Amino acid sequence: IEMSLIYDKQTYPSLQEYVKIGVQEAEKNKERLQFAHQIDGAILKTLDSLPVKTAVNKIVELYVSKQSGIMLSTGITVNPFNYPKLYESLVSCCNTLGISVPQVVVSPSMPGINAMATGTDDFSFIAISDMAQALLPEDQLKFIVGHECGHIALEHVVFHTIGQFIGSLGTLIPGIGPLLANVVSLPLNTWSRYSEISADRAGFLCCGGDLRVAQKALLRLSGGFSNTDEVDVNQYIEQSLQSLEDHKVGAVNEYFMNHPLIPKRLKALELFSRSEMFYRITNRPYLANDNLLNDNTLNDMVNEVIKVL
């Protein structure tokens, strides 16, 4: 147990060494995942401690099998032989975030330029629409893949999957279903919006911290076929946020959304790009007069952007 084992000219670590290596890797991964938004992490910790996760985990498995079985069966698996450049981006993202390479399929079942991560703690997979694979340039697709890998790395997928069928819990679990639905739905939409901010940061890190690439990729999610190269991102953000301020009655619909509006995500990502947190995580050098946002200021400014009304 305490000594290394040598077999067939290969050295295998002892149990103590193996545990030590595991602890070191866990600490490294913890450092890598410090980009998660503060509220995302706090709410997720609360959700994770509730009996809800255990109670619905089996239902999540059944739901994933039922809803995603066809997608997995008909989608083309991304591997070194199918979409090799996309596979290289996937492996790079997983290395950046410190996770194992998940199953990824390019699916004709998903509409538009889109992607999603779904599943359980034991099995998570990513689906990318065939349109996204065909239309997005390699660097922007890497941001999208990194975003979805971020959801897996930060253990978002179970609660995202629950969110997809939360309205059905009442009928799926007789007796306690309505109670579970109420317990989960109260924090779920708010947490989900902040979880997207965390995942955007993951995608940003995965595409090399290139803000223009990340923002163009986000614009394509809402712009579809439009030529986003002709869009002034800063002007778009300013105009959109001002419009939300001017039409607050319509903005109340945000309460029912599990994703922040694209201009808010663009602004939140721009704030992260000039934060001490980003430079600290990526080990990029910076000077004291660079006027980077400290962690508290970053959180406050992002919260102000993301808040609903």
Side-chain angles (χ1 to χ4, degrees):
I1 294 177
E2 296 182 359
M3 297 176 60
S4 299
L5 173 67
I6 299 177
Y7 176 75
D8 195 22
K9 298 181 180 180
Q10 294 289 329
T11 301
Y12 299 89
S14 67
L15 177 59
Q16 286 184 347
E17 290 171 333
Y18 185 81
V19 170
K20 182 179 180 181
I21 292 170
V23 170
Q24 290 173 342
E25 286 301 312
E27 288 300 315
K28 288 180 183 178
N29 288 344
K30 185 178 179 182
E31 290 177 7
R32 291 189 190 103
L33 301 180
Q34 286 180 352
F35 59 82
H37 189 279
Q38 190 179 49
I39 292 179
D40 168 18
I43 294 179
L44 190 63
K45 185 176 181 180
T46 301
L47 285 169
D48 207 35
S49 66
L50 295 173
V52 172
K53 191 173 183 180
T54 302
V56 301
N57 196 55
K58 197 66 180 177
I59 295 174
V60 170
E61 290 182 20
L62 293 172
Y63 177 83
V64 170
S65 179
K66 176 178 179 293
Q67 296 297 114
S68 305
I70 296 298
M71 185 179 294
L72 282 170
S73 300
T74 60
I76 300 175
T77 299
V78 176
N79 57 36
F81 309 100
N82 304 323
Y83 310 114
K85 288 189 178 296
L86 178 56
Y87 182 74
E88 287 179 11
S89 293
L90 170 64
V91 171
S92 173
C93 290
C94 291
N95 288 337
T96 297
L97 300 176
I99 62 172
S100 300
V101 178
Q103 182 174 357
V104 178
V105 297
V106 174
S107 173
S109 304
M110 298 186 70
I113 296 176
N114 204 356
M116 72 171 186
T118 190
T120 66
D121 286 338
D122 296 324
F123 173 69
S124 300
F125 77 94
I126 296 171
I128 301 169
S129 69
D130 53 356
M131 188 178 293
Q133 189 280 325
L135 295 181
L136 291 181
E138 186 178 336
D139 54 359
Q140 292 180 23
L141 194 56
K142 190 172 186 179
F143 169 82
I144 299 297
V145 170
H147 173 102
E148 301 305 334
C149 285
H151 282 312
I152 294 175
L154 294 165
E155 300 181 351
H156 291 160
V157 290
V158 170
F159 292 111
H160 277 180
T161 307
I162 291 172
Q164 294 171 22
F165 69 95
I166 186 67
S168 304
L169 275 181
T171 56
L172 289 173
I173 314 177
I176 65 171
L179 176 61
L180 285 176
N182 288 334
V183 169
V184 175
S185 63
L186 287 175
L188 198 57
N189 274 348
T190 298
W191 163 74
S192 183
R193 291 193 293 271
Y194 283 99
S195 77
E196 294 302 321
I197 298 302
S198 297
D200 283 346
R201 293 176 180 180
F204 180 54
L205 295 173
C206 289
C207 69
D210 190 322
L211 183 61
R212 187 176 186 278
V213 167
Q215 289 186 325
K216 291 295 183 181
L218 283 172
L219 278 174
R220 292 301 293 272
L221 293 177
S222 60
F225 289 103
S226 63
N227 185 359
T228 55
D229 289 334
E230 296 184 2
V231 176
D232 184 314
V233 176
N234 292 329
Q235 194 276 335
Y236 168 69
I237 294 172
E238 183 179 346
Q239 170 261 312
S240 297
L241 296 182
Q242 185 58 53
S243 181
L244 283 171
E245 185 67 25
D246 294 340
H247 303 284
K248 289 185 177 180
V249 174
V252 73
N253 291 324
E254 283 188 81
Y255 279 115
F256 306 100
M257 297 179 179
N258 54 19
H259 281 57
L261 296 172
I262 291 295
K264 291 188 173 186
R265 292 170 67 178
L266 292 168
K267 182 62 179 179
L269 201 53
E270 183 267 325
L271 291 171
F272 179 67
S273 73
R274 52 188 180 90
S275 69
E276 291 179 359
M277 181 183 293
F278 169 63
Y279 280 78
R280 184 171 65 245
I281 291 172
T282 57
N283 291 318
R284 297 191 178 197
Y286 64 92
L287 302 175
N289 59 359
D290 285 340
N291 295 320
L292 298 179
L293 304 174
N294 63 43
D295 291 3
N296 290 333
T297 302
L298 173 65
N299 282 327
D300 290 344
M301 294 182 74
V302 170
N303 291 343
E304 184 64 24
V305 170
I306 299 304
K307 73 176 183 181
V308 178
L309 297 181

